[in-house]
Amino acid sequence: MTIPWNRRYAQRMQGVSSSVIRELLKLTQQPDIISFAGGLPAPEIFPVAKFETAAMRVLQEHGAQALQYSPTEGYPPLRQLIADKMRRYGIDATPDNVLITSGSQQALDLIGKVMVNPGDQILTESPTYLGALQAWKAYQAEFVTAPIDANGLCIGDLFEEALRAGPKFMYILPNFQNPSGVTLSMERRLKLVQIADQYGIPIIEDDPYGDLRFEGEHLPPLLALDWQLQASRREAKNGDGLTFGDVIYLGTFSKTLAPGLRLGWIMAPTAVIKKCVTAKQGADLHTSSLTQMIGYEVARDGFLEEHQQVIRRVYRERRDIMLAAMEKYFPPGVQWTHPQGGLFLWVTLPEGLEATAVLEKAIANKVAFVPGTAFYPHDNQGRNTGRFNFSNANPEQIETGIRRLGAVLAKATSALESGPTLELA
Ligand SMILES: Cc1ncc(COP(=O)(O)O)c(C=O)c1O
C-alpha cells in the first residue's frame, strides 16, 4: 500500500511551503549564471590554511575529546572567547550566558521551540530575514510588522500598532539588515530598548553582520544598550547578580570565519540559556565537538579580528563595484540602498514592475537576484523589490551581472511606460 504522506504531516508544517521563488532560484545554481541571489560569503578568502593547521592541531593534541560527545552548552574555551568578545561593549557576560548553537539558524529554531505557542504574535521588521520566518512559521507563529527606512526599523504609528497586538517578542536585525542592508540608527536603538523595557517585550537581536562594517561608526548592540539601562536602574538582576534584561543576542561565525562550520551562539540571561539547552538536547544533543574545537583554535589569539579586516576590505570593494555598476547600467526610476557593511543591498523597482517577472527574464539572461516578496511575513508585499548579494560574486562578475540586469530592466521599464498590460519583451 502506498502511504498518503500528506495525511501524516503535522499541522504545524502546513504554513511552511516551498515558494515559486525558491523554485526559480534553483535555476540560478547553473554554473553559467551570475547569481546575486544567495547569502554566501566570498569563498576566495576563507582562511583554508589556518583551518588546516587548526584541524591538525586539534586532532593531534585533543583527538579523543574532539571526537567524543560533549556538553550541550558548548566547548568551554569557545564560550569564554564569545563572552570576552562581548565584553568590549561593557557587558559583563560570563560563559554561563553563552550557548553554542549549530549556526544562528538553530538559535532561531530553539527560540521558536522555547517561546512560541501556536498563534503567538512576533513583531518583525518588514522586510526581514526569511530564515527566521521559516523557523517560526513551523511553530505556528503569526507576524505583526513595522516598516523600515534608511535608518532601520521605523518606530512610528505602525510600530505602535504592532505593539498593541501584544507580541511575544520583537525580532530585530540592527546591522546591515538581511535583506535590505540598512542599519538601525543610534537614536532608534535607544528608543527601542526603552520601549522593550517599558512594555516588558523581549528583543531577539540577530547580528550576523555587525563585525562587517566597512564604513561609518560602529554602533553598540541593543544588548549593550539594554545592559546599560538595566545596570543604571539596578533592576532585573538575574541569578548571577548580572543585569541582563530584555535582549537575547544571536551571533555566528558564519560570516566572519566560514558558514560550513555551522557555529553560532545565543547570549542571554542564564535562565533562558538553561531553557534553550533543554530544547537543544532534543534537537542535536550538542554542536559538533570537532567543529567547535577547530573553530576556537582558528578564532583565538586575535585571528578572528585580523581576518575580519580582510573580509571588510574585500566586501567594501565589491559593494562599491556593485553600486557604481547600478549607477551606470540601471535605468532611471530604479532605486537602491547604500549599506555601510554586510553582504546585501536592496533594490526598489518602479511601482508596477514585478520583481518575479524581472527575475524570469534575468535568469534567461544568465543573472539572478531574490525578489523581495520572499522576505515579507505577509503575502503580496514588496513585489517591486529585490535583494542583491555583493559578497559572493567577484568584481568582474558583478560588473557583467549588473550590466545584464540593466538591459533587462531598461526593457521592462520602457514596457511599463508603454502600458501596464504589455508583456515584457
Ligand atoms: C539575519 C540572519 N540570521 C541568521 C542567519 C543564519 O546564519 P547561520 O545559521 O549560518 O549562522 C543568517 C544567514 O544568512 C542571517 O542572515
Side-chain angles (χ1 to χ4, degrees):
M1 174 180 161
T2 314
I3 292 180
W5 286 106
N6 273 342
R7 281 196 244 144
R8 300 276 154 177
Y9 300 143
Q11 270 173 1
R12 63 178 167 274
M13 289 306 287
Q14 275 173 9
V16 194
S17 57
S18 182
S19 67
V20 177
I21 292 171
R22 246 167 262 140
E23 293 308 310
L24 266 178
L25 289 177
K26 275 188 202 158
L27 300 173
T28 67
Q29 280 159 17
Q30 296 161 13
D32 57 341
I33 287 196
I34 296 175
S35 180
F36 305 125
L40 278 60
E44 307 87 333
I45 51 172
F46 285 147
V48 178
K50 184 82 185 171
F51 271 98
E52 203 179 321
T53 325
M56 287 291 282
R57 186 154 176 199
V58 165
L59 286 168
Q60 279 166 2
E61 293 178 13
H62 314 281
Q65 185 188 354
L67 298 174
Q68 189 55 282
Y69 285 117
S70 59
T72 307
E73 287 82 350
Y75 180 50
L78 186 62
R79 295 172 82 202
Q80 182 70 58
L81 182 142
I82 291 163
D84 291 346
K85 180 172 149 60
M86 299 308 283
R87 277 173 190 272
R88 71 190 152 127
Y89 298 116
I91 303 164
D92 199 9
T94 74
D96 288 342
N97 298 110
V98 179
L99 166 63
I100 306 295
T101 55
S102 301
S104 56
Q105 189 62 40
Q106 184 183 47
L108 294 168
D109 184 63
L110 294 179
I111 283 162
K113 203 170 180 183
V114 163
M115 294 176 70
V116 178
N117 289 319
D120 275 352
Q121 301 282 350
I122 297 174
L123 195 162
T124 73
E125 295 156 317
S126 174
T128 188
Y129 172 53
L130 171 64
L133 297 175
Q134 244 184 343
W136 295 330
K137 276 182 183 170
Y139 294 102
Q140 294 169 289
E142 309 275 338
F143 298 93
V144 280
T145 63
I148 54 169
D149 64 17
N151 292 313
L153 179 74
C154 300
I155 306 180
D157 292 349
L158 290 169
F159 177 73
E160 298 272 330
E161 198 181 312
L163 275 185
R164 281 196 287 278
K168 198 75 175 265
F169 56 79
M170 309 183 228
Y171 174 61
I172 308 291
L173 294 96
N175 295 309
F176 327 119
Q177 197 236 25
N178 181 0
S180 68
V182 301
T183 292
L184 192 64
S185 69
M186 187 63 185
E187 194 192 335
R188 291 187 189 177
R189 285 175 197 235
L190 288 167
K191 239 186 194 168
L192 202 57
V193 293
Q194 268 159 9
I195 291 171
D197 182 64
Q198 185 185 338
Y199 289 82
I201 301 175
I203 296 174
I204 310 295
E205 176 176 27
D206 191 2
D207 190 24
Y209 308 107
D211 285 321
L212 301 184
R213 177 181 277 280
F214 35 74
E215 196 176 285
E217 203 185 316
H218 189 81
L219 298 174
L222 299 169
L223 180 73
L225 297 174
D226 179 62
W227 175 277
Q228 285 162 15
L229 182 75
Q230 305 289 350
S232 70
R233 292 170 39 214
R234 293 282 164 232
E235 279 185 12
K237 291 196 171 186
N238 72 9
D240 303 325
L242 292 174
T243 48
F244 262 105
D246 306 320
V247 180
I248 296 176
Y249 179 94
L250 311 185
T252 177
F253 292 110
S254 283
K255 304 303 190 306
T256 53
L257 286 180
L261 266 182
R262 309 310 303 129
L263 275 187
W265 69 89
I266 301 176
M267 176 165 276
T270 47
V272 176
I273 294 292
K274 280 185 187 145
K275 203 76 188 161
C276 290
V277 165
T278 310
K280 185 172 160 69
Q281 279 163 358
D284 62 356
L285 299 181
H286 62 80
T287 294
S288 153
S289 322
L290 179 64
T291 294
Q292 290 187 71
M293 291 174 75
I294 294 172
Y296 170 71
E297 196 57 39
V298 171
R300 63 187 289 187
D301 299 333
F303 180 80
L304 181 64
E305 290 71 23
E306 204 180 292
H307 186 59
Q308 281 165 7
Q309 288 181 25
V310 177
I311 301 175
R312 286 195 283 261
R313 185 171 43 72
V314 170
Y315 289 6
R316 182 189 185 120
E317 186 197 6
R318 293 184 180 191
R319 178 209 57 175
D320 288 346
I321 291 168
M322 185 173 273
L323 288 176
M326 285 178 166
E327 204 67 61
K328 192 160 143 196
Y329 297 117
F330 279 8
V334 179
Q335 294 176 327
W336 51 90
T337 57
H338 288 64
Q340 295 184 311
L343 277 66
F344 305 107
L345 58 80
W346 185 248
V347 171
T348 306
L349 305 174
E351 203 63 50
L353 206 56
E354 292 279 335
T356 310
V358 171
L359 174 62
E360 276 183 51
K361 298 288 167 196
I363 290 173
N365 286 277
K366 306 287 179 206
V367 57
F369 62 95
V370 193
T373 46
F375 302 97
Y376 289 83
H378 304 119
D379 290 343
N380 283 326
Q381 292 196 292
R383 294 171 66 143
N384 61 330
T385 60
R387 186 192 75 177
F388 284 62
N389 167 271
F390 53 77
S391 59
N392 186 243
N394 67 37
E396 199 188 328
Q397 290 169 322
I398 295 176
E399 170 84 15
T400 310
I402 297 296
R403 178 162 45 76
R404 288 180 191 166
L405 258 165
V408 170
L409 286 171
K411 268 191 194 170
T413 45
S414 67
L416 189 71
E417 280 155 21
S418 341
T421 53
L422 211 80
E423 255 293 287
L424 296 187

